[in-house]
Amino acid sequence: MNPFIKGSIPADFISEKIAAHSSKTDIGAHTFFLGQVRKDEVTGKQVDAIVFYAYESMAEKEIATIREEILSRYSLKCMHIWHSIGRVSSGEICFFVLVSSAHRKSCFEALEETVSLVKERVPIWKQLILDDGSKVWADDEQATESILRRNI
Amino acid sequence: MIQITVIFMGSLAEVTNNGKLQITLDDNYDTVHLQENLFKRYHTLKDKTYSIAVNESIQNQTCTLNNGDEVVLLPPFSGG
């Protein structure tokens, strides 16, 4: 399954994915995480949008590996990961993880670990678009040190 | 001689002013030799933090390169 969505992840998409599980009546709990683009301040300017880039072939494999690892470690019914590629404006959703199980405990734990593993292991990069039109990479340590610290 | 493709992801594409490079190298070239070669082409690259993937697999140790390999330089990930 292709985990990438071009641009922001709309609310309709999220509700459709949740509704699609109504036929799986052994599910008793869903947890989900939504990553939203923050209007951070960088070098005195505000972030208007983020453009996400990925090494897509490797990222897709790594997301599939993370999914298999999580499904093998926790008692889950299913789980899904979607991530935006391309431009997402501040206030819009860029990352969606949905975890489903019979009971809530494994759902909460699996969700937390999945989000951390995606951030740590999937080759995706952010380019920040600032309100004066300038661009800065999130991995540019000098320009965005404060942002990276907050994102850990 | 072998021919490989080097791809610079994220911010590294700007450091090198080049997203993709085809290079012909001597036989028995490894990832350390390749980085020395790239540092000569792109002087500021040696100050950057990155990991190296060969054919989509991250290499934590020196790895010998083969004809047709795709080598990708990956700056620290910032997805999510």
Side-chain angles (χ1 to χ4, degrees):
Chain A
M1 189 192 70
N2 182 0
F4 298 116
I5 291 174
K6 198 167 167 50
S8 66
I9 302 176
D12 284 354
F13 179 90
I14 295 160
S15 60
E16 280 165 19
K17 293 301 175 188
I18 295 168
H21 291 76
S22 61
S23 59
K24 295 187 177 180
T25 50
D26 54 352
I27 291 174
H30 302 290
T31 53
F32 63 89
F33 176 84
L34 299 174
Q36 174 169 306
V37 172
R38 269 194 316 271
K39 204 171 189 69
D40 270 326
E41 192 175 298
V42 181
T43 59
K45 297 159 202 160
Q46 290 196 311
V47 173
D48 268 353
I50 291 179
V51 181
F52 292 93
Y53 295 86
Y55 180 20
E56 287 196 29
S57 55
M58 185 177 158
E60 194 169 335
K61 281 184 195 165
E62 195 59 39
I63 285 176
T65 304
I66 290 169
R67 195 168 171 274
E68 283 163 22
E69 282 178 22
I70 294 291
L71 286 170
S72 70
R73 272 212 298 278
Y74 293 93
S75 174
L76 303 178
K77 297 301 178 187
C78 63
M79 71 162 301
H80 307 278
I81 299 167
W82 292 275
H83 201 295
S84 293
I85 294 294
R87 184 183 171 109
V88 181
S89 298
S90 52
E92 293 183 325
I93 301 300
C94 58
F95 183 29
F96 174 27
V97 179
L98 177 61
V99 177
S100 311
S101 68
H103 304 285
R104 70 185 185 282
K105 192 166 188 294
S106 55
C107 251
F108 282 122
E109 291 172 358
L111 179 72
E112 167 86 46
E113 186 171 353
T114 303
V115 170
S116 298
L117 290 179
V118 169
K119 285 175 168 281
E120 189 183 309
R121 288 179 18 194
V122 180
I124 296 175
W125 299 274
K126 290 183 178 102
Q127 189 181 46
L128 313 178
I129 311 296
L130 306 179
D131 59 6
D132 65 347
S134 61
K135 298 172 181 176
V136 59
W137 288 98
D139 58 275
D140 180 340
E141 295 92 342
Q142 288 173 335
T144 60
E145 191 181 346
S146 60
I147 287 182
L148 287 175
R149 264 205 309 272
R150 271 181 278 156
N151 274 345
I152 288 170
Chain B
M1 302 290 274
I2 60 167
Q3 190 170 54
I4 64 158
T5 304
V6 183
I7 298 173
F8 303 97
M9 296 302 301
S11 57
L12 295 180
E14 288 178 7
V15 170
T16 58
N17 227 348
N18 202 343
K20 197 170 185 178
L21 191 65
Q22 301 271 357
I23 319 185
T24 302
L25 303 168
D26 293 331
D27 291 338
N28 299 318
Y29 227 74
D30 63 30
T31 46
V32 172
H33 297 135
L34 174 65
Q35 287 182 89
E36 288 165 358
N37 183 315
L38 293 174
F39 293 160
K40 284 180 192 156
R41 293 167 192 253
Y42 311 112
H43 297 298
T44 55
L45 183 62
K46 65 166 84 67
D47 303 326
K48 298 294 175 183
T49 304
Y50 58 87
S51 49
I52 293 182
V54 178
N55 302 328
E56 299 180 356
S57 172
I58 290 181
Q59 306 296 317
N60 295 318
Q61 294 181 333
T62 305
C63 151
T64 303
L65 297 169
N66 296 300
N67 192 43
D69 279 351
E70 181 178 271
V71 178
V72 183
L73 273 62
L74 309 162
F77 305 155
S78 55

